[in-house]
Amino acid sequence: MDTFDNLTKYKIFLSVAENKSISKAASLLYISQPAVSIAIKKLEENLNTTLFIRKSKGVELTEKGRLLYDSAKKALMMLSDTEKSFRFPFNTGSLRIASSNILCKHYLIPYLKEFLYLYPNTNVRITCTSSLQAYLMMEECSIDLALVAKPPNLAAGIYHSLGVIEYIFVCTPAYREKLNCNNDEIFQYANIMLLDKDNVSRKHINAYYAKNNIIPLHILEVNEMDMLIEFAKMGIGVSCVVKQFVESELKTNCLMEISLSNPIPPREIGFLYNDIQPLNENILKFINLKVTQSI
């Protein structure tokens, strides 16, 4: 078997793996569904292995399929980068980054401004998504760099810390006065506004609740921290937010911090990149920038 004869099959294989669907891959590649099925079948025959488990609602990679996916993804990305270097000789490569909206706004943008000023010919692609999805994209090697909170168990990858963020509960002074209770009793009387349950930060707060035997009676959920800040400023309730993101509101007394007997533990944030694929030199250029944060 000549690997170069299978380049097209590998591109089809990658599309099926990433979309977990033969029909969706066919639609995205503008070829027929039978053609995709035949290509996958021939690739499996050539490799004498099964790459996908067929299910009623799509397909999933087998263990050997996942191994092939990682290798094929890396190889085709390297080939694509080499082609670009020939076609665009002044291009200095690419960098794919994922971050949540709030971390992008307060931490990533200053890095981007400095990086693009120094390396204007680098192709930078940004994906704003949840931290959980950023972790998954890193595992799939579909990004080079993720700006995330440090995972509790860092099994793989290299982590470059940017420091810690603090979680606090805030509300307007008027709302706090209306509660007429001590600070530790807010969970019984206030509308507690939190990120939704799938959010990584929310899981950190839930762990804090469990450790301190706290059971909030009135919870409102949103999917963006910016909305938590805005709702708190409207006097709707008490929001759990990152302190660094509301410093101006605290200084102007638009919002006030509710001090608790047992504060929420801080979390470390930073850049995470993979150590199972060839290192993109732009990663080191990016994370080693001397940047003053906007917060």
Side-chain angles (χ1 to χ4, degrees), residues 92 114-122 124 282 285-286 289:
T92 51
E114 182 68 12
F115 184 81
L116 291 174
Y117 173 77
L118 294 172
Y119 309 104
N121 294 317
T122 302
V124 179
N282 285 317
K285 291 179 183 176
F286 194 90
L289 291 171

Side-chain angles (χ1 to χ4, degrees), residues 45-108:
E45 290 174 351
N46 288 339
L47 299 173
N48 193 28
T49 191
T50 300
L51 299 173
F52 292 101
I53 300 171
R54 275 70 173 176
K55 295 193 171 184
S56 58
K57 293 185 178 180
V59 295
E60 283 188 10
L61 287 168
T62 62
E63 184 175 350
K64 288 187 177 180
R66 284 192 291 272
L67 290 173
L68 182 65
Y69 174 85
D70 290 341
S71 296
K73 185 76 173 179
K74 294 174 201 172
L76 290 178
M77 283 172 53
M78 290 175 67
L79 181 59
S80 175
D81 288 343
T82 302
E83 288 179 346
K84 288 177 182 176
S85 71
F86 291 159
R87 292 169 58 200
F88 307 103
F90 297 106
N91 187 283
T92 51
S94 63
L95 185 63
R96 303 163 302 163
I97 308 172
S99 168
S100 67
N101 287 332
I102 195 76
L103 288 180
C104 182
K105 175 181 177 181
H106 291 282
Y107 282 91
L108 187 59

Side-chain angles (χ1 to χ4, degrees), residues 241-265:
V241 300
V242 172
K243 185 173 184 177
Q244 287 89 333
F245 300 163
V246 292
E247 285 186 345
S248 62
E249 287 84 356
L250 294 173
K251 286 178 182 177
T252 58
N253 208 34
C254 175
L255 292 174
M256 62 174 291
E257 177 182 354
I258 299 178
S259 300
L260 301 172
S261 300
N262 296 309
I264 304 169

Side-chain angles (χ1 to χ4, degrees), residues 163-182:
V164 298
I165 54 175
E166 301 174 66
Y167 289 88
I168 59 173
F169 288 94
V170 298
C171 65
T172 62
Y175 187 86
R176 178 66 189 89
E177 185 178 354
K178 184 173 66 174
L179 288 177
N180 192 28
C181 65
N182 67 46

Side-chain angles (χ1 to χ4, degrees), residues 18-280:
E18 289 166 356
N19 293 286
K20 297 181 180 181
S21 167
I22 288 175
S23 59
K24 189 171 182 180
S27 176
L28 292 171
L29 294 170
Y30 299 101
I31 57 178
S32 69
Q33 188 170 330
V36 172
S37 298
I38 291 171
I40 296 299
K41 183 179 179 182
K42 286 185 176 179
L43 190 58
E44 289 180 323
E45 290 174 351
N46 288 339
L47 299 173
N48 193 28
T49 191
T50 300
L51 299 173
F52 292 101
I53 300 171
R54 275 70 173 176
K55 295 193 171 184
S56 58
K57 293 185 178 180
V59 295
E60 283 188 10
L61 287 168
T62 62
E63 184 175 350
K64 288 187 177 180
R66 284 192 291 272
L67 290 173
L68 182 65
Y69 174 85
D70 290 341
S71 296
K73 185 76 173 179
K74 294 174 201 172
L76 290 178
M77 283 172 53
M78 290 175 67
L79 181 59
S80 175
D81 288 343
T82 302
E83 288 179 346
K84 288 177 182 176
S85 71
F86 291 159
R87 292 169 58 200
F88 307 103
F90 297 106
N91 187 283
T92 51
S94 63
L95 185 63
R96 303 163 302 163
I97 308 172
S99 168
S100 67
N101 287 332
I102 195 76
L103 288 180
C104 182
K105 175 181 177 181
H106 291 282
Y107 282 91
L108 187 59
I109 286 179
Y111 274 84
L112 288 171
K113 288 180 179 177
E114 182 68 12
F115 184 81
L116 291 174
Y117 173 77
L118 294 172
Y119 309 104
N121 294 317
T122 302
N123 180 23
V124 179
R125 284 173 282 175
I126 309 298
T127 301
C128 287
T129 185
S130 67
S131 292
L132 179 60
Q133 186 60 33
Y135 292 133
L136 295 175
M137 293 174 72
M138 180 62 64
E139 291 177 357
E140 295 171 353
C141 300
S142 58
I143 57 172
D144 302 303
L145 194 63
L147 175 56
V148 291
K150 187 175 184 178
N153 298 308
L154 188 58
I158 298 174
Y159 195 78
H160 177 84
S161 177
L162 295 177
V164 298
I165 54 175
E166 301 174 66
Y167 289 88
I168 59 173
F169 288 94
V170 298
C171 65
T172 62
Y175 187 86
R176 178 66 189 89
E177 185 178 354
K178 184 173 66 174
L179 288 177
N180 192 28
C181 65
N182 67 46
N183 286 352
D184 290 332
E185 292 177 332
I186 62 166
F187 303 106
Q188 301 174 41
Y189 299 102
N191 288 326
I192 304 297
M193 297 185 288
L194 305 169
L195 293 170
D196 59 54
K197 293 178 181 178
D198 292 331
N199 191 283
V200 175
S201 292
R202 172 63 182 278
K203 292 177 181 178
H204 180 69
I205 303 305
N206 285 348
Y208 164 79
Y209 283 158
K211 183 177 180 180
N212 292 277
N213 297 314
I214 296 172
I215 304 176
L217 297 183
H218 310 285
I219 293 179
L220 302 177
E221 294 182 338
V222 300
N223 59 9
E224 290 288 345
M225 189 164 292
D226 278 340
M227 295 306 300
L228 287 180
I229 295 170
E230 290 304 314
F231 286 159
K233 288 161 65 175
M234 291 169 62
I236 295 175
V238 176
S239 287
C240 182
V241 300
V242 172
K243 185 173 184 177
Q244 287 89 333
F245 300 163
V246 292
E247 285 186 345
S248 62
E249 287 84 356
L250 294 173
K251 286 178 182 177
T252 58
N253 208 34
C254 175
L255 292 174
M256 62 174 291
E257 177 182 354
I258 299 178
S259 300
L260 301 172
S261 300
N262 296 309
I264 304 169
R267 297 181 73 202
E268 190 175 353
I269 65 163
F271 292 114
L272 176 67
Y273 58 97
N274 224 321
D275 59 353
I276 63 171
Q277 58 181 339
L279 180 64
N280 180 343

